[in-house]
Amino acid sequence: MTESFTAAQGSDAAQVTSGGGRAGELATALSALIERIDAACAAAGREPGSVRLLPVTKFFPASDIEILYNLGRREFGESREQEAAGKVAQLGHLSRIRWEFIGRLQRNKAKSVARWADTVYSVDSDRLASALDAGAEAALGDGFRTTPLRVLLQVSLDADPARGGARDAALHALADQVAASRSLQLAGLMAIPPLDVEPDAAFEQLARIHAALTAVHPEAKELSAGMSGDLESAIAHGSTCVRVGTALMGARPITSA
């Protein structure tokens, strides 16, 4: 699923930039962001295009997503079920778009999200995994989806239950549960570094946890870590997907309330 910023897309971005307005802003920010990611890959001795960019578009209008789609992006991260469902309906004409639910998900929303999401992040409990399994199974049966729902387990890097995430034996048990499901696909891990921990130390810890998991579940290849302020560190420690909002989209147009 990794997509690099091709020369053709770069040409498209240049053309959009020359048009000004919001389209120009996003094209300029996208070009700069891809340069950052490519530079981080080079510094880490990794191949260009080996790190996937997931634009985080929560709080931004569907029109922004359509601009980015026309600039070659196909995957978008949302974290509020009601807002995301509205955008899914509004942008149904974009046939190749893929939606990733990146926020903490309530179990009563699992059935709805399983109908339209390609991937769900932040799965950290057996109860949520079971709810997603049931939702994905129903969506497959009803024709809302044709493939299993990809799942990224959330790793706790500080053992703080308020921040979510699983660790150690609980993480491995959860991975076994998801891997055994017919309606879910164990895609990998994700994490958010604690605010009081240096990103390098947090991402190094995450890389060790990921290596231990893939020794048992080699299919869990994705490691989603790194955002606007720390993506270079995350890439240096093996992240395969960075989730970027502010550096691409700019300041949020509305509050999170």
Side-chain angles (χ1 to χ4, degrees):
M1 295 178 65
T2 300
E3 293 187 33
S4 60
F5 193 61
T6 66
Q9 291 170 4
S11 176
D12 289 344
Q15 292 176 13
V16 173
T17 301
S18 66
R22 182 58 172 162
E25 291 176 0
L26 288 174
T28 298
L30 178 60
S31 295
L33 182 55
I34 294 297
E35 288 181 4
R36 276 185 68 189
I37 294 172
D38 285 347
C41 287
R46 300 177 60 180
E47 291 293 325
S50 62
V51 176
R52 184 166 66 96
L53 167 62
L54 180 65
V56 177
T57 50
K58 61 181 180 180
F59 306 123
F60 289 89
S63 57
D64 280 359
I65 297 174
E66 186 151 18
I67 290 170
L68 290 170
Y69 185 93
N70 290 332
L71 289 169
R73 310 321 301 174
R74 294 293 179 264
E75 301 157 354
F76 300 93
E78 293 283 332
S79 65
R80 301 196 302 177
E81 186 274 334
Q82 186 173 3
E83 176 189 349
K87 292 177 182 177
V88 171
Q90 189 173 349
L91 297 173
H93 59 288
L94 304 181
S95 61
R96 296 177 60 196
I97 201 167
R98 294 192 295 271
W99 300 98
E100 306 199 11
F101 191 87
I102 62 175
R104 298 191 69 179
L105 180 62
Q106 296 177 330
R107 294 194 307 278
N108 64 351
K109 303 291 186 180
K111 182 176 181 180
S112 172
V113 170
R115 290 188 171 195
W116 51 260
D118 174 80
T119 304
V120 172
Y121 290 54
S122 304
V123 177
D124 62 356
S125 73
D126 56 353
R127 292 185 297 173
L128 177 55
S130 295
L132 285 169
D133 189 16
E137 183 177 4
L140 286 164
D142 294 340
F144 285 101
R145 62 183 311 116
T146 59
T147 59
L149 176 64
R150 297 176 74 248
V151 165
L152 269 70
L153 308 183
Q154 181 178 357
V155 177
S156 171
L157 296 176
D158 58 4
D160 181 355
R163 290 171 52 84
R167 290 190 67 172
D168 305 324
L171 180 67
H172 284 267
L174 187 56
D176 291 343
Q177 176 185 348
V178 172
S181 167
R182 293 181 299 177
S183 302
L184 303 179
Q185 176 191 346
L186 179 61
L189 300 179
M190 60 80 60
I192 302 172
L195 294 177
D196 58 350
V197 175
E198 286 294 323
D200 280 339
F203 292 136
E204 182 179 1
Q205 178 188 7
L206 178 61
R208 291 196 302 268
I209 294 171
H210 187 231
L213 181 71
T214 54
V216 181
H217 292 286
E219 73 277 15
K221 296 178 180 178
E222 184 147 42
L223 183 61
S224 179
M227 296 181 284
S228 293
D230 56 16
L231 65 86
E232 285 84 1
S233 176
I235 290 171
H237 290 92
S239 174
T240 64
C241 172
V242 293
R243 311 180 300 272
V244 180
T246 303
L248 175 61
M249 309 301 297
R252 291 177 178 175
I254 59 174
T255 68
S256 58

